[in-house]
Amino acid sequence: MQTFYFAIVILALLAIVFGAILGFASIRFKVVGDPIVDQIDKLLPQTQCGQCGHPGCKPYAQAIANGEAINHCPPGGEATIKALADLLDLEAIPLDAEHGSEAIRTIAYIREDECIGCTKCIQACPVDAILGAAKQMHTVIIDECTGCDLCLDPCPVDCIDMIPIEVTPVNWHWQQPEQLIATSSSPYSHGAPDHA
Amino acid sequence: MRKTWNFHGGVHPLENKTQSNQLPIVVMPAPKQLVLPLSQHMGKAGKAVVKPGDYVFKGQLIASAQGFVSANIHAPSSGYVSALEERTLPHQSALSGPCIVIDTDGKDQWGDLNPTIDPKLLSKSDLLYLIQAAGITGMGGAGFPGAVKLQPKSSIHTLIINAAECEPYITADDRLMREYADQIISGIQLVQQLLDQPQCLIGIEDNKPEAIAALNHALNQHMNIEVCVIETKYPSGGEKQLIEILTGQQVPNEGIPADIGIVCQNVGTVKAVFDAIVLGQPLITRITTVTGKAAVNAGNYEVLIGTKVADVLAFAKVDLIKTSRLVMGGPMMGFTIQDTQTPIIKSSNCILAAADLELATVADHHSCIRCGLCEVACPAELLPQQLFWFAKAEEFEKAQDHNLSDCIECGACAWVCPSQIPLVQYYRYAKGRIKALNNETQLAELSRMRFETREQRLVDEKSAKEEKRKLRATAAAAAQAAKRAANPTSADPIAAALARVNKRKQEQQTATTPKSPEEVYKELKTAAAITRTKLNKTSKALTDAKAQDHEQAAGLQETVIALTTKAAVAQAKLHAYETKLGLDPEKEKILQVSVAKANGTIRQLEKILATAADPKRIEADILNAKATHEAATQALADHQTNLTKKPTSAQES
Ligand code: SF4
Ligand code: SF4
Ligand code: SF4
Ligand code: SF4
């Protein structure tokens, strides 16, 4: 009987000690901020284009955390939807066409001799990718432009074009080999088992 | 004999070396045109320092390195720069890129050369400078700028010279060693000098007995250099594989050889180092193997960098009709070229003109039968089968977890695959996508940061404005309080202000001093002008609105009508006042005009006077005109005084 009480006391003590440790840890190592919003934000393409109906990716991340559908971001497309579905344990749904369709990535290009230096595009650019000053020619920092095309509309002389990113030997990469019919045999296949 | 180790896997494809290694290297004369891509190496492209029309000497710098990982480019022969334009690059993508085109003049005239008489006296930085200046890049495979590897951060105990040349068909290094063994050894000694005299191991496969003999012959006992003969097995010439064979050490994942105190250089590269330092010649030629069943004169050729593949093929008498596939590089790691106008670059070690059936074509492939042969063959100890599934399913993260980045794309797995799956192509695809995705994530991270800083900036600006406004308000309040304190009688500022306003109103009302007639006249004039402009503006707005079918048009219409009457009233008032004053603006205008006219006549006459033949007569004319002017001025003045007098009298009456 004594051993029985002894065991209970030991277990109770252990429970108290571990409880205290856990309690301390939860306060001491508290994660600040809203990790889920940040995690969602990480998966969004950060184009900041507002096509999702929010003024930027972070607000949309917040909205997703609050239950909005995950298929409202056209720049991210299927890949983003899939990643979001994985993260939130939801089903991947097709892109909502109401918000736009997936397009190739472009960047803004200002035809500099036509720019009148009105600074309107600077104010529109969500990532400060445009350089210029009043009455001076403006230009886009290509490495920082997200291709959101928000600067297009405000330009009073329509001197901004969206151009697709050029393929160069630096950013070129191989495509996946063509998927051939697995059973078709080649005249040169040396000894490959023909399992047609 | 030194102990050597073995690496995992590897394959034994047919060597096919004897077709090309029998004859001595043939120097190919300078072709008519040379095409030099600005980017022949890994890293940043060079920047052209010549322009079309310039004459260049052989060996003259034509493009300078941009940054640390970049390389200079020199003119391989003398001639005129004919263009700076986009040309097809010798690259897997077959894309084009900026090139310098030189039309050679056939003189092959060297510019100034600066050979070093006694290289032993050179300091490390001098050596490095000379290597960098000569534009030396790795001549084995990837073409990494040579000087980068030669200034490692850690100390180096072993220099490994890669002479394995394990890829089938290629014999460029073999022939180079047979014919230039002394120069190679001197080049090695220079590199040793640069790296604080590490021991040097030359790794060479046992299928090159003549080259081994030549190297041993060039060596003498006192040198800290050893020729290590290794078993012929593909890919023993892979950098990591060769290091494992010769030292038993493995380069860590995603690490570089310098991390374990080793530097690896290709034989061709050390020969180029010799040329650069001892002869003072920049890297402008290389040995290229031309081989394959379609090549009649298969062999090794010393070609100028920038020579077009078509010229090389013609020189080696390649039967283009027989050629079914042209490969730059070897059959295992090379790539097919379509455009024979692409040039030979610093890293082009072989052109393989394969006849039908010589190389396995891009065959239809079968399903993976999970035989596991690929895993046995992989020298990087990867799981090619798994990597294949991941690449195919686009599960790039998993592929990365399985160390896809360690794959050297040697093609051993694809070579053994009985289902002939183009495994390497899948890996290349996956690697490319991973790189692109990483790039995108980086960009996204950057834009996220920029977006957030901008948001923060906007918020800050707003709050700063608010702050300023508040400050101004409190300052004003304080000033008020101070004023009140100084002037205690006006206890209530509002009451005081009201009192002030009232007072002013009264003053205005009681202001008995009547306005002078001029003032009244002026006021009326302004009122008429204002109403007129208002009317004009609104009617213009009205026509615009009408043109655009705007809903505001009706409202505007009413305003216009109201304004029209207002304007008419103002005009009438003005007119009435004018008549009351006996003013006659018309007459005044006429008088003004006559004054101006007289003035003009005088001027004109004065001008004529300067050049006139009979000045007397003109002088008389001028006097006349002056008189007229005086009269007119007088009339105008009379009219105006009348004006001022009359209203006063009118007022009085
Ligand atoms: S739609 Fe545009 S703003 Fe919205 S999450 Fe996607 S990229 Fe960001
Ligand atoms: S430059 Fe134009 S397209 Fe590019 S990020 Fe700024 S607003 Fe968007
Ligand atoms: S050798 Fe080819 S078929 Fe066999 S497991 Fe590897 S990939 Fe699959
Ligand atoms: S290509 Fe890559 S996976 Fe295939 S054998 Fe070579 S290193 Fe291994």
Side-chain angles (χ1 to χ4, degrees):
Chain A
M1 204 57 197
Q2 187 143 28
T3 5
F4 177 70
Y5 286 126
F6 190 64
I8 285 184
V9 169
I10 291 280
L11 281 176
L13 275 176
L14 277 176
I16 289 166
V17 169
F18 284 123
I21 291 176
L22 280 176
F24 173 74
S26 73
I27 292 163
R28 176 74 178 71
F29 302 111
K30 196 174 160 77
V31 183
V32 278
D34 196 349
I36 189 69
V37 173
D38 283 342
Q39 277 176 34
I40 296 172
D41 193 31
K42 271 240 156 69
L43 297 180
L44 293 173
Q46 307 298 331
T47 307
Q48 316 290 6
C49 63
Q51 287 182 74
C52 53
H54 297 274
C57 302
K58 185 91 182 246
Y60 181 43
Q62 184 69 53
I64 292 179
N66 294 340
E68 191 169 315
I70 58 173
N71 62 347
H72 291 173
C73 171
E78 303 297 332
T80 298
I81 294 172
K82 192 164 162 273
L84 286 172
D86 280 350
L87 174 72
L88 304 170
D89 210 5
L90 296 169
E91 204 177 318
I93 37 178
L95 185 68
D96 188 344
E98 237 174 64
H99 292 268
S101 56
E102 220 174 317
I104 50 162
R105 213 168 100 75
T106 53
I107 47 173
Y109 172 76
I110 297 181
R111 292 196 299 278
E112 285 168 3
D113 42 351
E114 285 169 48
C115 168
I116 53 167
C118 69
T119 75
K120 290 226 166 63
C121 56
I122 293 195
Q123 290 156 37
C125 179
V127 291
D128 284 339
I130 302 180
L131 214 60
K135 307 234 173 71
Q136 306 287 314
M137 173 269 282
H138 283 45
T139 199
V140 175
I141 310 171
I142 5 179
D143 287 343
E144 273 154 19
C145 169
T146 67
C148 67
D149 80 20
L150 291 181
C151 53
L152 245 59
D153 266 354
C155 179
V157 289
D158 277 339
C159 71
I160 309 180
D161 290 321
M162 298 305 294
I163 48 172
I165 293 175
E166 204 191 336
V167 182
T168 64
V170 177
N171 66 14
W172 172 90
H173 65 76
W174 287 91
Q175 290 305 308
Q176 202 174 45
E178 275 157 48
Q179 297 291 314
L180 300 165
I181 308 154
T183 48
S184 66
S185 66
S186 105
Y188 312 132
S189 56
H190 29 254
D194 200 336
H195 45 100
Chain B
M1 199 58 202
R2 200 183 176 85
K3 172 176 164 50
T4 51
W5 285 259
N6 197 359
F7 66 91
H8 176 271
V11 292
H12 296 273
L14 276 182
E15 288 172 22
N16 280 314
K17 301 231 183 203
T18 48
Q19 294 98 309
S20 59
N21 70 0
Q22 301 303 314
L23 298 169
I25 297 169
V26 178
V27 178
M28 181 180 161
K32 282 224 168 58
Q33 195 174 62
L34 294 164
V35 179
L36 294 129
L38 291 179
S39 178
Q40 306 192 10
H41 45 262
M42 285 248 238
K44 269 198 144 165
K47 191 171 159 232
V49 295
V50 288
K51 47 186 193 320
D54 287 359
Y55 184 80
V56 290
F57 287 104
K58 183 171 180 152
Q60 185 182 329
L61 183 74
I62 53 173
S64 65
Q66 299 294 304
F68 185 53
V69 188
S70 185
N72 286 343
I73 298 167
H74 302 82
S77 186
S78 59
Y80 287 94
V81 176
S82 63
L84 263 177
E85 60 187 19
E86 301 261 317
R87 293 278 179 110
T88 316
L89 299 177
H91 186 262
Q92 295 147 337
S93 63
L95 288 169
S96 45
C99 295
I100 298 175
V101 183
I102 298 177
D103 288 341
T104 56
D105 61 1
K107 293 189 189 133
D108 218 24
Q109 215 169 3
W110 277 100
D112 294 335
L113 292 182
N114 293 313
T116 312
I117 315 289
D118 193 355
K120 289 228 167 52
L121 300 178
L122 289 175
S123 71
K124 275 206 225 172
S125 53
D126 289 342
L127 283 171
L128 261 181
Y129 171 76
L130 289 173
I131 291 173
Q132 229 156 10
I136 294 177
T137 60
M139 306 198 40
F144 205 74
V148 176
K149 270 180 162 181
L150 294 175
Q151 35 192 326
K153 292 193 183 74
S154 45
S155 83
I156 299 300
H157 56 74
T158 306
L159 167 67
I160 287 181
I161 299 300
N162 191 343
E165 199 162 59
C166 59
E167 182 137 0
Y169 285 100
I170 308 177
T171 56
D173 288 350
D174 182 3
R175 278 311 321 184
L176 185 80
M177 286 184 281
R178 292 194 207 182
E179 294 173 39
Y180 293 96
D182 290 326
Q183 285 89 332
I184 289 170
I185 299 298
S186 303
I188 292 174
Q189 284 178 311
L190 290 169
V191 177
Q192 278 179 310
Q193 188 181 334
L194 178 56
L195 295 172
D196 289 327
Q197 303 297 344
Q199 64 160 339
C200 171
L201 307 176
I202 304 177
I204 181 166
E205 282 188 341
D206 56 14
N207 60 359
K208 294 184 254 304
E210 296 89 345
I212 295 167
L215 286 176
N216 277 325
H217 183 76
L219 281 179
N220 75 47
Q221 288 309 307
H222 309 292
M223 289 175 182
N224 191 10
I225 302 174
E226 195 177 330
V227 177
C228 305
V229 181
I230 59 175
E231 180 209 342
T232 300
K233 176 166 98 170
Y234 181 85
S236 62
E239 191 175 69
K240 292 184 177 178
Q241 283 65 36
L242 189 62
I243 289 170
E244 193 177 349
I245 295 172
L246 295 182
T247 66
Q249 282 178 288
Q250 285 199 342
V251 180
N253 266 6
E254 302 192 12
I256 56 168
D259 295 345
I260 52 172
I262 294 173
V263 161
C264 202
Q265 291 288 348
N266 174 271
V267 258
T269 317
V270 286
K271 159 77 168 37
V273 168
F274 172 86
D275 289 347
I277 292 170
V278 180
L279 306 180
Q281 296 178 353
L283 177 53
I284 52 168
T285 72
R286 71 151 300 132
I287 314 292
T288 298
T289 307
V290 181
T291 185
K293 282 202 180 124
V296 178
N297 288 350
N300 283 290
Y301 296 90
E302 183 176 340
V303 294
L304 297 177
I305 310 286
T307 305
K308 290 180 209 155
V309 168
D311 294 336
V312 180
L313 294 179
F315 191 68
K317 299 221 166 35
V318 169
D319 185 349
L320 285 174
I321 298 161
K322 232 173 120 188
T323 309
S324 70
R325 208 171 136 208
L326 261 185
V327 175
M328 196 171 240
M332 302 295 277
M333 294 181 76
F335 54 90
T336 309
I337 44 176
Q338 310 289 353
D339 185 357
T340 55
Q341 295 299 307
T342 51
I344 298 284
I345 55 169
K346 293 176 183 174
S347 57
S348 315
N349 51 3
C350 179
I351 298 173
L352 174 53
D356 260 348
L357 302 187
E358 190 172 4
L359 294 180
T361 46
V362 187
D364 303 343
H365 59 269
H366 304 267
S367 313
C368 171
I369 54 169
R370 297 174 193 269
C371 59
L373 285 176
C374 49
E375 198 192 318
V376 175
C378 177
E381 295 178 54
L382 302 175
L383 300 172
Q385 190 195 123
Q386 297 296 319
L387 292 176
F388 162 59
W389 292 120
F390 296 143
K392 197 171 172 186
E394 316 221 326
E395 290 181 286
F396 301 126
E397 228 165 87
K398 284 192 191 149
Q400 258 177 317
D401 291 344
H402 281 71
N403 297 320
L404 175 65
S405 58
D406 282 347
C407 165
I408 57 171
E409 298 175 25
C410 66
C413 51
W415 191 79
V416 296
C417 177
S419 289
Q420 297 192 311
I421 301 170
L423 294 167
V424 185
Q425 208 177 324
Y426 278 102
Y427 307 149
R428 284 179 176 164
Y429 162 69
K431 280 181 175 179
R433 278 296 297 275
I434 289 170
K435 198 172 132 211
L437 286 175
N438 283 345
N439 228 340
E440 254 167 50
T441 339
Q442 256 175 27
L443 272 182
E445 194 49 31
L446 182 79
S447 12
R448 199 171 57 91
M449 265 161 44
R450 292 185 71 86
F451 178 68
E452 273 166 17
T453 19
R454 182 183 131 99
E455 293 282 280
Q456 191 57 44
R457 199 192 72 218
L458 292 182
V459 169
D460 285 352
E461 262 167 22
K462 214 169 166 191
S463 59
K465 243 185 216 162
E466 184 72 3
E467 193 74 359
K468 240 190 198 162
R469 200 185 60 75
K470 265 192 197 147
L471 266 178
R472 230 184 286 129
T474 39
Q480 281 284 344
K483 222 182 196 175
R484 215 180 310 144
N487 190 4
T489 39
S490 58
D492 187 353
I494 299 175
L498 274 178
R500 265 202 306 279
V501 170
N502 275 338
K503 207 170 143 204
R504 201 174 301 146
K505 255 191 196 159
Q506 264 173 8
E507 265 169 12
Q508 264 172 7
Q509 274 170 2
T510 50
T512 41
T513 41
K515 276 185 214 158
S516 74
E518 289 103 285
E519 272 169 0
V520 178
Y521 181 47
K522 217 179 192 177
E523 265 172 28
L524 283 174
K525 241 185 172 172
T526 342
I530 288 175
T531 33
R532 226 183 301 126
T533 9
K534 260 195 196 161
L535 175 61
N536 279 345
K537 265 194 188 164
T538 2
S539 24
K540 194 165 168 270
L542 176 63
T543 32
D544 281 354
K546 266 186 184 157
Q548 286 174 19
D549 231 358
H550 209 280
E551 61 223 6
Q552 277 176 357
L556 279 173
Q557 182 84 49
E558 272 167 34
T559 333
V560 168
I561 293 168
L563 277 173
T564 320
T565 32
K566 233 184 176 177
V569 169
Q571 192 60 39
K573 262 190 191 166
L574 179 66
H575 201 70
Y577 198 72
E578 268 170 359
T579 30
K580 183 178 166 201
L581 292 187
L583 278 185
D584 195 346
E586 295 293 307
K587 191 172 174 203
E588 189 174 343
K589 218 176 235 166
I590 293 168
L591 284 171
Q592 270 170 350
V593 169
S594 58
V595 172
K597 255 190 189 163
N599 214 353
T601 329
I602 296 172
R603 285 262 168 73
Q604 239 169 9
L605 284 171
E606 271 168 355
K607 238 189 225 161
I608 300 171
L609 180 64
T611 53
D614 49 348
K616 279 271 151 54
R617 222 191 77 202
I618 302 206
E619 255 164 38
D621 280 351
I622 290 181
L623 280 185
N624 262 343
K626 276 194 176 154
T628 331
H629 180 247
E630 218 148 277
T633 324
Q634 190 54 45
L636 182 64
D638 279 354
H639 181 80
Q640 274 164 348
T641 36
N642 239 356
L643 202 165
T644 37
K645 247 186 235 156
K646 249 191 200 158
T648 340
S649 51
Q651 198 94 51
E652 275 163 1
S653 65

